[in-house]
Each structure stands twice: as structure tokens, then as C-alpha cells.
Amino acid sequence: MSEAREAILGSIRTALKRGPLSQPERQQLESQIATPPHHTRPHFGDDLARRFAAKLESRAATVVAVSRMADASGAVVDYLDRLGLPKAVAAAPALENLEWPQGLAVRFGRAETSDQVSVTPCFAGVAETGSLVLLSGPSSPTTLNFVPENHVVIVRAARIVRHFEDAWDLLRKEAGGIPRTVNVISGPSRTADVEQTIQLGAHGPRRLHVVVVNG
Amino acid sequence: MQVLSPQFKPRATLALKDASLQAALGKARGGFVDKRAAAAAELPEFEQLREEAKAIKEHTLDHLDFYLERFEERVKAQGGQVHWARNAEDAQRIVLEICRKANAKTVTKGKSMVSEEVGINEVLEQEGIEVIETDLGEYIIQLAKEPPSHIIAPAVHKTKAQVSELFHAHHSKLGLTKVLTEVADLVNEARQVLRGKFFRADVGITGGNFLVAETGSSIIVTNEGNGDLTQTLARVHIVTSGIERVVPTLDDATTFLRLLARSATGQETETYTTVSSGPRRPGDPDGPEEYHVVLVDNGRSKMLAGRFREMLRCIRCGACMNHCPVYGAIGGHAYGWVYPGPMGSVLTPLFVGLDAAYDLPNACTLNGRCQSVCPVKIPLPDLLRELRHMQHEAKLSPWYQRAALAAWGFVASRPRLYHALTGLAVRALGWLGRGRGRFGYLPLASAWTKGRDLPAPQGKTFQEAWRERRGKSS
Amino acid sequence: MTSPVPAGPRIGLFATCLMDSFRPSVGFAAVKLLEDAGCTVEVPAAQTCCGQPALNSGDFATTRRLAKQVIETFAGFDYVVGPSGSCMATIKNDYPQLFADDPQWREKAEDLSRRSFELLSFLTDVLKVDRVKARFEGTVTYHDSCSGLRELGVKAQPRKLLATVEGLKLSEMQDAETCCGFGGTFCVKYPDISEKMASDKVANIEASGAGTLLGGDLGCLMNIAGRMKRLGKPVRVFHAAEVLAGMADGPGLAEPEVR
Ligand code: SF4
């Protein structure tokens, strides 16, 4: 395999009419990676939370706001009631400390095929497109984001950033390196592969419900 | 994949007569164009982003060796593996070996044009491995045993009725015997069938829209979430990607993501953007145990040197084909290989040969619409003309065409002779045709008169008439 | 447009090969429009064709030979103007590229490029003509030919002038910017595909309800008119210059001489 590797790198260098880059040149490129040049970002107004919600809704997600973290689980129950779903959810272990109401069966861990509803936290929200940034980890299984038909995401309003680049900055600062999976989710699953007709729930969740916690 | 590009002409003619295909193309045409235009108009920074994206790609290509090595180093540090494939055979062998080691019986796949290019499915199937395409469009054409006809909407050539028939024929065996006519029901049935496959899969193969050198990540973008189920539920995740897909940083990738969805489907963003960096970490409750990236060269490093380097900027958004009137008339299959439309007409001759794909660069009116929408500003018409030039130099065009061109060139470089001859011809044609104003048939012009009349000339050339009116002075 | 327009500029009319052979009336219309705007117009006899058929067939050597002929023929004119976006885009954009490796000719090509213009945009953008004295009764629709549109930015200029023609109403068609399937040699190399594209164009023209089709490029107009007649459609076809010069009273493209 290393033979192929050398062949490809060699062929690239032949095409570029040069040998391997010198140490200072590599250093220069490394420092560009460490401090990425600032690219153009879309301009928009300052009400990030509002834009975040409006964008999500424009892609058929539903959004509610609650004032404290303690109310988030109540919002989950409301959601189940509204859709007439059984009072059982699979939740990310990261939410174990949330006060969960009586009468709601909560199982913490990865998703199983029988799960109808999942509840997960989220690392950040992005106002630019109304997107959720979720990280994989021991307390936040990725399967919860894709297997159940209903995905409820709890996001703190304070974690809604303006652009994607801001979310990456948080990631670099707080998460201590990139996790195995970063899921950027901007609505329920959809397809337009049959005659360009949009149909929700192609493979992933049919419904995405976002609970914004203001406090 | 079999190369059918030499049969471009007859296949195009068949496509024009295929009523179902024409119906499907008719439905698709306006949608993509209008949605892209609206999405671009909504973002005032769109043009600026195109310039920047082009610059990022050019910078990356200039340092491609560095960024690939940087990417590899990061992937390894995170417990993943990187494999280098010089050509299709290398890539097939690598994927097959990984699948063998994993003792794979079932492989699920997210959409990957590179895997089509190097022909992964055939090799795995020969080994007795069940391969399931999970993108709904890819799944449909897999059932139909057809190649994709579009790089982002692989089944765009199929009507709802055809999908319904296909599902009925294949799903009946699974006990799903109802004939479905609604899109919602068709999608639900596919969801139901494919769900089982995701959970059973040993290996999941996806493409990589972008590779990030900064973090050693592969990025995929989907609306369905099929790529995520593919890569999360299988024990082994394989990413197949062209070497040109690497970008320096997450911020750079973001600029492309802003352009990709808007250019491809007119969406502001696609539903799922997934950044994957290595296998399951200690304590992770899910995710693949192995993570492999197959970096495919297959001619790309050679392209880096010459006139076609700009083609390596391509992010496979499909906008060029959505806006191509020739693609809109004949669909993707006539092009005869993996990549159709304008980008395919540039790439295919470079991959399969100037001769085998002779028609592709020629079957273009050079109307320039592709270039005007390409998010990374690839001058597709110029590249197509360059291919024509190479074909001309290699004397690949039909002899009679070259003879006619040479004769015309000879006359056109001799103004006196030219005007004497055109004067005669125009007089004769004018005299013959003025009564009706047009010709329904004309010898030597039958390719023109096959589908349209030829307007008759007015009887004298402009040069003659001008000199008669104004004297010989000028 | 950086240098000021000289008073009574001397124009070399680029008599495109299709215009020269098939529709001299477009040439006379162009001359009238230019003279009305105060120009002196000459028609050099040593011109034949811009070389586009060779260029688009990949025969760059022949193209260079013809390009040199054009460059020499039109040396010395203040401007070179032609009633075709496609030919003028070849001269303006492709000639300099063709001589990328030949500094001497490249400079000449660039000089010619700076002086070369498509007729309708020349009238509005350089000569600042904002109205014409012409009459045309009826509803027209306008096909934007690809080269003029995408390579030279010709879109608003003809519409602006047509709006000043008395009696004329413009009804835009769907997909006015979509290629008609002409494409030079494309239309004879791939006649079936070309026919389909032309048919789509004809359908859009019909749906616009206009009685007349106008455009700025004879290649496209001949293709569309030919397809239209084959399909038995009554819509008439003129080059926009003919209407703007008030010279659209004779037969349109593909129409018999006596109507
Ligand atoms: S050539 Fe440009 S428009 Fe076509 S697929 Fe590639 S990036 Fe998109």
C-alpha cells in the first residue's frame, strides 16, 4: 500500500513540478490551519434565537421555547401528548440529571429499533441556517439522532451561535479535539428522489422537535 | 462500469423518443433551475463565496501532497486507517480486503460517485456479498439494474409509475404485495425494507463530500439520513473519496457547504451534514469499530498538471447538468458512463479516452450556462473546446468533417475567392428558394433540413449589394 | 469604454458570414442604425468569417489564420461592430486567448478586442443611443442568444431600444435565456438533439402569444425560424436590428418574397 501512497504523492509532485515541501513551507501551512483565514459569512440581523427557530420551522421542524432547564422535560411530555405517543423515550445519558416527570418511562443509552422517541442535548445551535450541532460521546449516542421516528433536541438559547465557524470555534475550545461524529441536523429526514416530490421521513426521523431553553 | 459513451448518438436518439424519460426530464427541468436561482438570490454573498471557494481549491491543489499527508496523519492519530488507490483496481482490492477481513455478508452504501467510478459494487457482488444502496434514488436504480443518470438525483429519469412497478416487482418477495401509487407510500415502503438492512450490515460504505486536513475528518451531506445509518450501524465504515476532495480546515469546508446545497438542490443547507473522524472512541455506546478512508487517484494527479486542472475544483453539485439544455433533452444515460452532463463531458474523455468518448465534448452548443452556475467557476465550455482541439490534433473527427473544415478554411482565408463563391451560391439558392422563402430539403444540407427548413437567402450577398449601392469606395 | 468616443466615429462593419449570405437586410439595418447615431460606416471587402466554425471544431490553427485576417482587415477603425453576439464574442474574448503564446499578435488581438462590439449593446452602451425612430405594429418576444448574453452581457440593451419602437409590445417568453439548439456545427452534427431543443424553444415562443420573434444572432434565428416553419407555425422572425431600423416591412426569415 505504501507503494501506491508514494506513487500518488510522487505523481502529484511531478504535476506540481516540485519536490516535497520544505520544513518552513510546511510550517507556514500548519500555522494557516491553526488560524484559519476569515472567509465571507452571510450577513443577517442580531436576533439569533428568532432566526434559528424560523429557519428550522421553514424545514418542517417544530420549535418551542421554555424558560428553565427544569421545564424541558415537561415540554417533551407535551410533545408526546400532542402526537398521542406512548409515554416512553430513549434519552441521551447526558440528560440523566434532568428532572423527569413521573409517568414518563425514560431509558438512557443508545437507540433500539423499538424506540419511537429520542431526546438528546445539543452542543450548539447555528442561527445562520437553523441547524443543530450534536456531538457523539459516551453520554450522547449517535443512534438516537437517526433511529427513532421522533427526535426531540434540547438546546440552550445561550448556545445559539451566529455562523458555523462560531460553532467550530466552540468545538476547538471546549470539546478538546473533534469527537468521532459531529452531526449537523437542520430538520427532519427528507427525500425528493421520486419525481422531485418532497417526502419527510426517508430514513431518519420523520419529525424533529426542538426545545429551546431560555434560562 | 461498462463504458457506453461510444454509442452516444444512438442512445441520445432513443432517449429523445422515450416518452417516460421525457416526462421525467420535463418535470425535473424547471424545478432545479428555479430553486437554485432563488437560493442564490437570497444570499447576497453568493458571488463572493464562489470566488473564495475557487481560491481555496486552487490553494489546496497547489499543496495537495501536504494536505493529504496532513489528513492521513490526523486520521491515524484518531485510530482510523488511510488507504491509497492509484486506480480502480487498487480501490476495488482495498475495499474487498477490508470486507473480507470483516467477514462481511451485507454491505450498505451511501451515495458515492467515486465508488461508481471505480466499480465497487460489482466486485463485492462477485464475492457473494450483498450490496445495498440506501440513498432512495440509488436504491431505485439498483433495483432497475441501471447506472445513475444524475450525480445528485440518480433516479431523476424515473417516473413515479416506474418506481411503483419496480417496488412491486421486488418487494412482493418480501411480502409487500400492495401496488403503491403515492410518493409517500413508496418512500415508506423503501424505509421499511431498508431499515432491516441497516441493522444487518457488516460494512457501511459512504462517499466523502469533503475531507478535512485540520481534523482528519470526512464530511458527508444528505437529506435522507441514509449515510448516517450506513456509517453508524455497521461495524466497519469505509469512506471512498477522490484525492481532490481534501480541504484545509473546517472553516474552508463551510464555504463549500454554503455553495453546495444551494447549487445542487436550491436548499440553504441539506438536512444532515456529518463530520466523521475515526472509529468508535472508548466509552462510545455506538458507532463503527473501524474507520477506513480510501483515497482514490485514478487519473486525478495527472490532471493536476495540465489544462484540465480546473476540473479538480468540482464539488459534484450537479448544477451544470441541471442547467444544460442537452442534458435536459436526453438525460444522463446517453453519456454512457458515470458522470453525465457538462462535467461528465469533460471528465469522461479524460477517464475512458478521447476516442471512446468522442461525442461528449462535441455534443454541446457551448452556450455557457453551465459555467455561469458552477459554484467553483469551472470554465466548462473552454475545457470542452480544448478536448475538441485534442481530438482534432489526434485526427479523431470523421474524415469528411475534417475535409469540409479544411476546404472551408482554405476558401475563407481568400476573401476574393470566398466572395466569388458565396456570391454564386447565394444567387443560385436565392433564385431557387425565394418563391417559398425556405427549403424543406437541400442536398448537402440534409442534416440541417432533417428537422427544420432552411431559410432561403435574399438573392445577393451583403458585400455585393453594399458595393452596388455605395460604389466601390469602401 | 475607457477612452472617450470620438465625434463621428469611423466604424468597420463586421459583416458576419451568415448575414452576408442569408440576410443582407440585417447589414443594411445595422448601417442605418449606426449612421443615424452619427457614425461613418465602412464595409471592408477583405473580410470573410470570424473563424468560429474552426474554433469550435478544435482547429485552432485555422482559427488563428482567420483571426489574423480579421485583425489586419480591421486595423485602423475606431470601432468594429457586428450584428451578432456570437461572432463579436469570438473576436472580443477568444482572439486574445488564441494568441496567448504570441505576444506580438496577442497585443494586436487585445487592441481589436477593445474596439469590438456587438451592434445593439454598442448603440446603447457606447453611443448612448436611448431611442430609435421606428414603428412596428404587433407583439414580439425576444430570444437571448447565448454568446451575446453570457459572454457580452447583452440582455437589457435590445429591450431598452425596442421599448421605444412605436406600436411594439414585448411579451417575454419562458426560458428566454435557454439555448435554442443552434450551436454552430452542433445543429448539423447532432440534428436530433438540436431539433428537440428548437422545438422546446418554439413551444415557449408560441406560449408567449407573440406574433414575431426577435433576436440578435442570425444563427439562432435561422435555426428557430427553420424549425418553426417545419412545424407550420405562423410566428414571424426578424433580427432586432431590422425592427429598430424600421426595416422589417419585407419578408421575415424563411418567408417567401411576395407576401
Ligand atoms: S462542474 Fe461545477 S456545476 Fe458541475 S458538478 Fe462540478 S462543481 Fe457542480
Side-chain angles (χ1 to χ4, degrees):
Chain A
M1 266 334 90
S2 75
E3 192 193 322
R5 181 182 189 277
E6 293 323 308
I8 293 170
L9 290 172
S11 171
I12 291 172
R13 288 173 188 140
T14 307
L16 294 173
K17 298 191 179 66
R18 61 163 173 76
L21 292 177
S22 68
Q23 201 45 37
E25 285 169 316
R26 300 173 72 89
Q27 218 94 65
Q28 154 80 27
L29 294 172
E30 275 299 339
S31 67
Q32 266 191 43
I33 289 177
T35 45
H38 191 99
H39 301 310
T40 294
R41 304 175 187 183
H43 284 276
F44 49 85
D46 286 331
D47 196 341
L48 301 189
R50 188 182 193 140
R51 180 179 171 104
F52 172 76
K55 290 281 178 193
L56 271 166
E57 283 167 347
S58 75
R59 282 186 299 272
T62 48
V63 184
V64 293
V66 297
S67 49
R68 314 173 296 140
M69 201 38 129
D71 297 335
S73 54
V76 174
V77 174
D78 289 349
Y79 175 76
L80 299 180
D81 285 343
R82 187 158 56 76
L83 287 168
L85 291 164
K87 295 265 185 325
V89 300
L95 296 174
E96 257 166 340
N97 294 332
L98 207 67
E99 293 168 43
W100 293 93
Q102 297 289 320
L104 177 69
V106 188
R107 187 180 53 75
F108 296 99
R110 58 171 286 166
E112 305 298 337
T113 36
S114 52
D115 292 328
Q116 286 197 46
V117 184
S118 63
V119 185
T120 70
C122 128
F123 175 74
V126 180
E128 175 180 352
T129 50
S131 301
L132 304 156
V133 180
L134 287 74
L135 309 186
S136 69
S139 60
S140 50
T142 305
T143 39
L144 291 175
N145 306 340
F146 295 98
V147 174
E149 295 220 334
N150 302 276
H151 184 196
V152 183
V153 183
I154 300 172
V155 53
R156 285 178 185 277
R159 299 292 292 183
I160 299 172
V161 297
R162 184 171 277 274
H163 293 113
F164 281 102
E165 288 88 339
D166 302 319
W168 308 145
D169 278 343
L170 283 184
L171 196 64
R172 290 176 188 120
K173 259 192 256 137
E174 296 178 5
I178 194 151
R180 188 197 85 241
T181 309
V182 179
N183 289 122
V184 180
I185 300 177
S186 308
S189 160
R190 64 163 68 199
T191 184
D193 273 346
V194 184
E195 292 192 352
Q196 286 76 55
T197 309
I198 290 175
Q199 181 62 38
L200 299 182
H203 289 294
R206 284 177 203 281
R207 282 172 290 273
L208 175 69
H209 187 60
V210 180
V211 180
V212 180
V213 181
N214 284 317
Chain B
M1 191 180 149
Q2 205 191 346
V3 180
L4 294 172
S5 307
Q7 283 97 57
F8 175 83
K9 268 192 175 181
R11 285 163 64 84
T13 303
L14 281 180
L16 288 164
K17 291 184 187 143
D18 181 338
S20 284
L21 174 66
Q22 289 300 327
L25 289 171
K27 274 194 186 137
R29 210 175 298 143
F32 281 125
V33 170
D34 295 348
K35 284 186 202 143
R36 181 215 165 262
E42 243 175 61
L43 186 67
E45 294 86 357
F46 195 76
E47 282 310 306
Q48 184 61 30
L49 287 169
R50 286 176 76 194
E51 276 305 332
E52 288 176 14
K54 175 179 163 185
I56 294 169
K57 276 280 181 187
E58 286 301 323
H59 166 84
T60 313
L61 292 174
D62 273 337
H63 306 96
L64 190 57
D65 52 340
F66 171 82
Y67 286 115
L68 286 171
E69 288 185 292
R70 179 66 161 74
F71 171 76
E72 179 187 41
E73 180 194 312
R74 290 308 308 150
V75 173
K76 282 185 172 165
Q78 288 160 165
Q81 298 179 48
V82 175
H83 311 263
W84 302 71
R86 282 163 297 193
N87 47 38
E89 294 74 50
D90 275 3
Q92 294 169 350
R93 202 188 53 245
I94 292 164
V95 172
L96 188 59
E97 265 167 30
I98 299 171
C99 290
R100 275 188 189 147
K101 264 202 202 125
N103 200 11
K105 308 262 175 313
T106 304
V107 171
T108 44
K109 284 185 73 206
K111 201 163 75 58
S112 158
M113 292 314 294
V114 170
S115 103
E116 299 275 353
E117 175 189 316
V118 299
I120 297 285
N121 291 16
E122 295 84 336
V123 182
L124 295 182
E125 279 162 1
Q126 271 167 25
E127 184 81 0
I129 298 172
E130 183 193 22
V131 183
I132 302 122
E133 294 287 351
T134 63
D135 171 85
L136 183 60
E138 289 277 349
Y139 177 67
I140 291 168
I141 59 164
Q142 191 186 26
L143 293 184
K145 296 197 168 40
E146 287 174 16
S149 71
H150 190 290
I151 61 171
I152 62 142
V156 69
H157 60 287
K158 287 270 181 253
T159 59
K160 186 170 69 179
Q162 289 174 316
V163 174
S164 168
E165 272 174 43
L166 270 173
F167 279 16
H168 185 64
H170 286 84
H171 294 167
S172 294
K173 298 172 232 160
L174 307 171
L176 302 163
T177 51
K178 229 171 121 201
V179 178
L180 304 171
T181 52
E182 294 303 316
V183 174
D185 297 334
L186 290 165
V187 172
N188 281 337
E189 191 170 283
R191 178 187 173 107
Q192 192 186 335
V193 171
L194 288 168
R195 259 304 155 111
K197 311 277 184 188
F198 283 124
F199 278 91
R200 255 205 0 248
D202 305 295
V203 174
I205 303 179
T206 68
N209 288 91
F210 305 101
L211 306 174
V212 184
E214 173 192 2
T215 51
S217 313
S218 56
I219 299 184
I220 58 165
V221 178
T222 77
N223 275 317
E224 300 180 359
N226 63 308
D228 291 285
L229 290 167
T230 298
Q231 68 175 55
T232 308
L233 294 174
R235 279 183 286 123
V236 176
H237 177 201
I238 305 176
V239 178
T240 52
S241 176
I243 53 170
E244 83 285 14
R245 292 311 188 92
V246 69
V247 295
T249 64
L250 281 174
D251 289 29
D252 293 319
T254 304
T255 294
F256 289 102
L257 290 168
R258 290 190 175 111
L259 291 165
L260 178 60
R262 289 178 172 92
S263 301
T265 52
Q267 290 170 282
E268 197 170 32
T269 173
E270 268 157 297
T271 307
Y272 300 111
T273 302
T274 302
V275 186
S276 307
S277 316
R280 187 188 286 216
R281 306 270 169 92
D284 276 0
D286 51 20
E289 286 151 25
E290 294 175 28
Y291 174 82
H292 301 264
V293 181
V294 185
L295 294 173
V296 179
D297 183 341
N298 206 23
R300 288 167 172 79
S301 59
K302 295 238 159 49
M303 275 167 70
L304 195 54
R307 184 67 183 87
F308 300 97
R309 166 179 159 138
E310 293 185 270
M311 204 56 220
L312 294 173
R313 294 204 297 265
C314 175
I315 58 171
R316 307 288 192 266
C317 73
C320 54
M321 57 200 76
N322 290 339
H323 290 76
C324 174
V326 175
Y327 179 96
I330 61 175
H333 282 160
Y335 294 82
W337 197 56
V338 180
Y339 301 110
M343 54 85 79
S345 297
V346 176
L347 286 176
T348 309
L350 299 176
F351 278 102
V352 310
L354 285 175
D355 202 0
Y358 174 77
D359 279 309
L360 270 50
N362 289 287
C364 163
T365 62
L366 301 176
N367 64 80
R369 208 169 173 203
C370 48
Q371 178 177 5
S372 74
V373 296
C374 173
V376 285
K377 300 199 161 182
I378 299 173
L380 293 153
D382 287 351
L383 299 184
L384 291 170
R385 207 151 57 183
E386 189 63 30
L387 287 166
R388 294 180 190 182
H389 177 55
M390 288 159 65
Q391 291 174 327
H392 176 82
E393 298 285 288
K395 301 207 184 338
L396 291 176
S397 45
W399 70 267
Y400 51 88
Q401 245 168 48
R402 265 177 295 127
L405 194 62
W408 170 85
F410 180 88
V411 175
S413 353
R414 288 162 180 77
R416 273 168 192 281
L417 176 65
Y418 177 91
H419 291 302
L421 290 177
T422 50
L424 283 174
V426 161
R427 192 154 308 155
L429 282 181
W431 182 76
L432 281 167
R434 251 178 301 169
R436 276 187 78 218
R438 58 199 159 99
F439 297 95
Y441 173 77
L442 207 61
L444 296 178
S446 57
W448 176 285
T449 52
K450 191 171 168 222
R452 70 215 122 189
D453 292 354
L454 181 70
Q458 290 173 321
K460 272 187 192 148
T461 66
F462 175 71
Q463 291 274 5
E464 273 179 281
W466 172 260
R467 263 154 260 288
E468 274 171 25
R469 281 197 211 177
R470 302 272 175 128
K472 294 238 186 288
S473 63
S474 60
Chain C
M1 286 152 285
T2 37
S3 45
V5 183
R10 195 170 145 251
I11 311 278
L13 183 73
F14 188 80
T16 74
C17 57
L18 289 178
M19 181 272 269
D20 183 57
S21 289
F22 284 88
R23 203 137 175 101
S25 52
V26 173
F28 287 108
V31 171
K32 174 165 191 299
L33 287 166
L34 290 166
E35 287 181 344
D36 285 355
C39 303
T40 314
V41 183
E42 292 174 36
V43 184
Q47 58 176 318
T48 60
C49 167
C50 68
Q52 207 186 118
L55 178 65
N56 291 348
S57 303
D59 181 355
F60 294 175
T62 302
T63 319
R64 275 189 207 104
R65 206 163 74 223
L66 290 170
K68 286 181 180 175
Q69 181 175 297
V70 173
I71 290 170
E72 280 173 340
T73 307
F74 287 94
F77 285 102
D78 293 326
Y79 297 103
V80 181
V81 178
S84 157
S86 153
C87 309
M88 299 320 287
T90 298
I91 295 174
K92 216 172 166 59
N93 298 346
D94 295 316
Y95 280 13
Q97 276 189 43
L98 275 169
F99 296 108
D101 302 327
D102 183 341
Q104 199 196 341
W105 278 100
R106 181 177 175 106
E107 207 184 300
K108 291 185 191 182
E110 275 170 357
D111 171 60
L112 176 66
S113 165
R114 279 189 291 274
R115 291 181 287 121
S116 296
F117 293 90
E118 180 277 336
L119 172 70
L120 305 173
S121 50
F122 180 72
L123 291 169
T124 58
D125 300 352
V126 181
L127 299 178
K128 309 290 174 203
V129 173
D130 55 9
R131 56 190 317 101
V132 293
K133 269 219 212 80
R135 210 181 155 74
F136 185 89
E137 289 301 333
T139 305
V140 305
T141 192
Y142 199 90
H143 167 65
D144 295 293
S145 288
C146 300
S147 312
L149 174 72
R150 296 197 185 86
E151 292 190 53
L152 302 175
V154 180
K155 173 83 190 178
Q157 300 92 332
R159 289 172 172 77
K160 182 171 153 191
L161 293 178
L162 286 168
T164 68
V165 173
E166 263 181 76
L168 181 144
K169 254 192 59 207
L170 179 69
S171 163
E172 295 284 1
M173 69 175 111
Q174 176 87 37
D175 297 338
E177 296 185 357
T178 299
C179 177
C180 71
F182 173 63
T185 49
F186 170 85
C187 72
V188 286
K189 284 189 194 160
Y190 302 92
D192 295 348
I193 304 174
S194 173
E195 180 186 318
K196 158 79 175 144
M197 292 161 71
S199 298
D200 287 350
K201 181 57 71 177
V202 169
N204 282 322
I205 293 167
E206 250 199 318
S208 77
T212 303
L213 168 73
L214 301 181
D217 249 292
L218 268 176
C220 315
L221 293 175
M222 285 174 63
N223 178 47
I224 302 170
R227 184 70 192 144
M228 200 122 69
K229 286 287 176 256
R230 179 63 56 91
L231 294 172
K233 310 288 181 201
V235 180
R236 309 187 65 197
V237 181
F238 287 96
H239 191 289
E242 296 177 277
V243 169
L244 292 172
M247 291 164 68
D249 41 8
L253 267 121
E255 285 174 16
E257 200 155 72
V258 198
R259 279 170 49 85

